[in-house]
Amino acid sequence: MTDAARARRNAPPREEVLAAAMGMIAERGLEKLTMAALGREVGMSSGHLLYYFRSKDELLLRTLEWSEGRLGAARGRLLSGTAPARERLDAYVDLYVPAGHRDPHWSLWLEVWNRSQNADDDARDRQAAIEKAWHRDLVALLAEGVSGGEFRAVDPDRFAARLRALLDGFSIHVAIGLRGTDRERTLGHVRDFLDESLDGRGRADS
């Protein structure tokens, strides 16, 4: 067996590599995540990492997909509960908005978005799949709230698109540490918007 084959056989599972990459982003910042530094963290050479991930762009996207998988599981548990739809909507928003400046998941999202300008179709499709999962769950929750009379008669798909655009804008401000914007202020703005927009006693959406 060659040294390269032996190293690949003894390499940690990909999930461990992705978890290590996310841990490095959280502890040291995205700018410190290099193939060489990650290799030292998991006991692999940068060449072996490239064998698995082909490029840093692919490593970042795989790490984002791994992180999103964990968030998706948490989102599923929140949304499948028996609490009122508005309480679950607030929980969705809470999960969506960054924890604060340099939130590692959002730092990774921003980097992947930036790199997507030159990404191939496969990478773009995978990013779109992540976005669609958040959108699909939000549409279902809004439809449930409308049908149950908790929310006024908005179009769930249109309202979800607008709400997620609002959340993205605020979340970017929080993640980059824009002065005058923080998580609690953002959550307050979103709560006010939802109170004004989804009051079940209001008129139907036009």
Side-chain angles (χ1 to χ4, degrees), residues 42-154:
V42 298
M44 297 174 65
S45 71
S46 55
H48 290 148
L49 286 174
L50 285 170
Y51 173 83
Y52 283 118
F53 299 107
R54 302 195 308 274
S55 68
K56 186 173 181 180
D57 284 2
E58 178 65 15
L59 169 66
L60 293 175
L61 182 52
R62 289 279 189 94
T63 305
L64 179 63
E65 289 173 327
W66 174 83
S67 180
E68 280 287 343
R70 294 162 62 89
L71 274 178
R75 189 172 68 245
R77 289 191 295 271
L78 287 171
L79 300 185
S80 64
T82 58
R86 177 54 196 272
E87 287 186 23
R88 284 178 282 146
L89 180 56
D90 287 340
Y92 175 101
V93 170
D94 188 67
L95 192 64
Y96 200 109
V97 174
H101 182 207
R102 297 174 68 87
D103 175 283
H105 183 79
W106 267 91
S107 294
L108 181 55
W109 243 128
L110 292 175
E111 183 67 16
V112 170
W113 269 340
N114 184 54
R115 290 170 180 254
S116 70
Q117 298 175 78
N118 300 311
D120 59 24
D121 288 342
D122 174 68
R124 286 178 176 274
D125 288 345
R126 289 157 63 192
Q127 291 172 42
I130 295 172
E131 298 276 6
K132 287 176 182 176
W134 282 94
H135 186 78
R136 180 185 62 244
D137 288 349
L138 180 55
V139 169
L141 179 57
L142 290 167
E144 180 185 340
V146 170
S147 66
E150 278 193 64
F151 302 153
R152 71 184 182 91
V154 299

Side-chain angles (χ1 to χ4, degrees), residues 90-101 103 106 167 170-171 173-175 177-178 180-191:
D90 287 340
Y92 175 101
V93 170
D94 188 67
L95 192 64
Y96 200 109
V97 174
H101 182 207
D103 175 283
W106 267 91
L167 290 173
F170 274 126
S171 293
H173 290 177
V174 173
L178 189 70
T181 306
D182 57 34
R183 175 178 167 83
E184 290 309 313
R185 190 171 302 180
T186 289
L187 293 176
H189 280 308
V190 176
R191 281 193 297 269

